[in-house]
Each structure stands twice: as C-alpha cells, then as structure tokens.
Amino acid sequence: CPIEIHATEAANAAGAAWFVERREELKATLEKHGTIWFRGFELMKDADGFRSFWESLDLDPCLDPLHTSGLRKFLSKDDALYEEVNKESLSKHYIGLHNESTFKKTAKAGAFVCFKPATGWGGEFFIADGEAIFRDLDPEVLREIMRRKVRISVSNLDFDVLDKLPPPQKEAAMRKLEQMVADGVAPKFDMDLEMLWGTDGRAMRLQAVQNAQSPVNRHPATGRPAWFCNLHNQARFLRERRPCGTPEVGMTDIYFGDLSLIPGEMLQHINEVSEKNIVTVPMQPGEVLLCDNYRVLHGRDIFDGDRLHAVSWFGDEKLQDDSAANKPGDLLNVVLNSAF
C-alpha cells in the first residue's frame, strides 16, 4: 500500500459522480490494499468538495476516538473534519506510526486530505502496512510481546512537594490526588486508565496507564492479523532519539503488561521493522489518502512553515451520538487547542 488512483480529465469533469459510480469498486480496492491515494482530483481541494467525496463513497463519519480528551480540534464540525497536527509549536515534533484508537474504541477508516503542504519544507504524511510489520517482525520478539502484552502510559503528573509531608499525611494526599485525577481527568480520555505511582522509577510521579492489550489485532472483516500498536509513536525510548516537542506531562511510554520495561533491543528491532515498512506520501492540494485504520498505521514528519492537512474518521460512533454529546469534549478541545 498505497495503491494510487490518478484523476483523468473525464474524472475531474464528472466530480462527485465519478466516485458514486465506482463506490463498490473502490471499497473492494480499499479492502484489498489497505490504502488508496487519490491524486490530481479537483473535487477535494476544499472542505465542501472533500465532504462530497466521502459522502459519494457512502462512508459514515464518526468522532475521533480521542475526541473527548480535548486533543482533537475540529476544522469544520459540520463537515466532520478534524485538523491534523499543523501547529507551528508542534512542527518540529515527529509523530510516529500509530492507529487512531484507544483501549475502548477505534475508527474503521480515515480519509486524510491535503489543503496546503508545508510552505517551507517537510511535513510529509507517512503510512505503514500493519500486516507487513506483523510478517517482518522476528518470530521470537513477536511471540514474547504478544504473550506479555503491552500497557501505555499517557500522562505524567509530578508531585514532589508531597515528599515534605509526614508519612501519614503524604499517603493520604497521594490517595486523594489519585482519586481526583481518576474522577476528573481520566473520563475525558474515554479509556480504561489506572492511576499508578512510580511506574517509571520516580516515586512521586502519578501516571495514567491503559489496561494491558495485545499489540496484534485480527481485522474484523478479513480476519487477517496485523500489528495494531502505537509503540513506534509512544515509546519514550524511541521518542528521546528523534525530534520530540512533547512536554513532560504528556510524554508517553510503553511497558509490558506487568509494567516491566521492554528491553531497548526489542524496541529497536520493532522500530527498524516499522521504519522499513514506512511509505512517505508527499501529498499535494486536493489529494486524499483513504486508509483502513485497522490495518494501516500513520504518522507525520517534522516541517517548517504553514501547513494545512485535515482528516475525517468513519466508523460506528456517529458524529452526533448522544452518548458523546454529553461529554465535555468540544469545550475541552477549544480550550486546549487555543492554549497550546
């Protein structure tokens, strides 16, 4: 993947009708290849045309799995369009391979659109086939990490000031803070998170850690196994060895299911296999990458200048789902994305 489909003069003249006529053919192509790169189409150069594109394919828009965390900003809510990570403050932050998912939910597919590539340099989107990563990993490494599973730490909160308290008060304060974070912050991520102290060796650091999960998933439609794990993006060992602009509070890490450290040589091997399978996609205005999120991982390189890429997600949790509407996601999105 990806398979490239180039627009013809007739396709551009037909507009959305071209996609309607080929809807079933394109769905079969996506299932076979995992990704379709639509190139040279005039239709998708603005938000209205992009919406016409995915409506023509009869795709059901859904919320980003991380919507309620406040980390996802709508570019156009009415068009189910989220802005990708285009901010100048994060332009020198390398976003590694990941599937858009949490322990509780995932999107079935995503359509990534380029409205404006980086005006300076870089910012290329890239993907990797999870089936290929699964096949290329050393069998012993794969068996070991599947047997032991993984847990992802999503945040770090340091409370070194509590060390100055007498032991009874210190213990009570730790339990209180643990409960406050569990009740007030964790629900916004819509994940099953456990609040743990000292997981990374810092005794007064409170971390929010996801439940143990397998790094391999069977595709719900095809049944084929694929690497379905955000290790390439979230392992601190790898982040510290490439451009990273994440503040300490948001620095993620990944452990075995029993919270023991994953050896550096294992992380290096998974990194090497992942990067061997990376395909860089230098998208131009109006180009769209339609990805099967269960099979294909995605990421973004560092860049300089202005950049405007966006994405719509498709799946079971509808954009106007009442259960999601009652959560503080939109307000939190606005506040966090304005501040940072």
Side-chain angles (χ1 to χ4, degrees):
C1 69
I3 186 167
E4 298 183 24
I5 296 180
H6 293 259
T8 62
E9 185 175 336
N12 276 328
W18 188 90
F19 295 96
V20 173
E21 292 170 4
R22 293 160 178 78
R23 179 185 299 156
E24 296 307 315
E25 175 189 340
L26 293 172
K27 286 184 177 180
T29 300
L30 180 65
E31 181 174 318
K32 179 178 180 181
H33 296 279
T35 310
I36 304 174
W37 184 3
F38 295 97
R39 309 189 67 178
F41 287 86
E42 296 294 324
L43 177 68
M44 294 90 84
K45 287 189 173 181
D46 58 38
D48 289 341
F50 179 61
R51 176 170 181 155
S52 296
F53 157 78
W54 57 255
E55 286 182 333
S56 300
L57 296 180
D58 201 23
L59 297 170
D60 294 323
C62 71
L63 293 172
D64 186 296
L66 284 174
H67 177 84
T68 55
S69 70
L71 300 175
R72 297 296 186 262
K73 176 186 177 183
F74 273 124
L75 185 64
S76 173
K77 183 176 181 180
D78 290 342
D79 296 311
L81 190 61
Y82 286 91
E83 186 172 355
E84 287 187 38
V85 186
N86 300 308
K87 292 184 178 182
E88 184 179 359
S89 61
L90 292 173
S91 63
K92 303 305 184 290
H93 173 68
Y94 177 94
I95 301 174
L97 290 170
H98 61 286
N99 304 91
E100 207 71 11
S101 65
T102 71
F103 185 80
K104 288 185 175 182
K105 63 179 65 172
T106 187
K108 290 181 177 179
F112 302 86
V113 59
C114 171
F115 293 131
K116 181 171 71 174
T119 55
W121 48 263
E124 291 85 4
F125 195 75
F126 55 79
I127 59 172
D129 187 341
E131 289 187 11
I133 294 175
F134 174 81
R135 290 194 302 266
D136 291 347
L137 285 171
D138 180 275
E140 290 301 320
V141 169
L142 189 59
R143 272 193 290 269
E144 179 72 359
I145 199 166
M146 288 180 65
R147 180 181 68 84
R148 299 182 67 176
K149 298 187 176 181
V150 298
R151 296 188 72 177
I152 297 172
S153 168
V154 300
S155 68
N156 305 310
L157 297 172
D158 293 322
F159 296 102
D160 294 333
V161 66
L162 298 184
D163 254 345
K164 299 177 181 180
L165 296 175
Q169 288 90 335
K170 173 182 173 181
E171 180 67 21
M174 290 173 68
R175 299 287 76 81
K176 180 66 174 177
L177 283 166
E178 183 179 320
Q179 194 61 48
M180 286 174 60
V181 174
D183 293 343
V185 177
K188 294 178 176 62
F189 286 87
D190 203 13
M191 304 176 185
D192 286 324
L193 294 173
E194 184 179 5
M195 303 301 131
L196 299 172
W197 294 91
T199 301
D200 64 353
R202 296 170 176 83
M204 300 314 300
R205 169 167 287 181
L206 180 62
Q207 290 181 291
V209 185
Q210 293 187 47
N211 287 349
Q213 54 194 288
S214 173
V216 172
N217 184 49
R218 285 193 177 273
H219 194 287
T222 68
R224 295 194 295 265
W227 181 255
F228 190 82
C229 180
N230 295 348
L231 181 150
H232 184 260
N233 183 47
Q234 294 180 314
R236 187 180 188 117
F237 179 89
L238 300 179
R239 280 189 160 193
E240 291 180 339
R241 288 160 174 77
R242 61 192 182 211
C244 179
T246 303
E248 187 61 31
V249 66
M251 181 66 84
T252 59
D253 206 351
I254 189 163
Y255 308 93
F256 281 127
D258 61 1
L259 294 177
S260 59
L261 294 176
I262 300 175
E265 57 269 23
M266 180 177 287
L267 294 171
Q268 287 280 35
H269 171 69
I270 296 171
N271 181 63
E272 289 169 4
V273 171
S274 298
E275 298 198 345
K276 183 184 76 172
N277 283 286
I278 283 178
V279 177
T280 300
V281 186
M283 299 168 70
Q284 297 302 308
E287 296 189 351
V288 171
L289 201 66
L290 181 60
C291 295
D292 180 335
N293 187 53
Y294 280 109
R295 174 175 169 182
V296 176
L297 302 91
H298 61 278
R300 188 223 69 199
D301 209 342
I302 61 174
F303 66 94
D304 185 67
D306 295 327
R307 176 185 188 268
L308 184 58
H309 285 231
V311 59
S312 289
W313 296 106
F314 311 101
D316 295 327
E317 186 179 359
K318 300 299 182 286
L319 198 65
Q320 300 299 333
D321 189 8
D322 289 340
S323 64
N326 293 326
K327 294 174 183 175
D330 282 343
L331 176 60
L332 200 62
N333 278 327
V334 172
V335 172
L336 286 181
N337 284 283
S338 296
F340 302 103

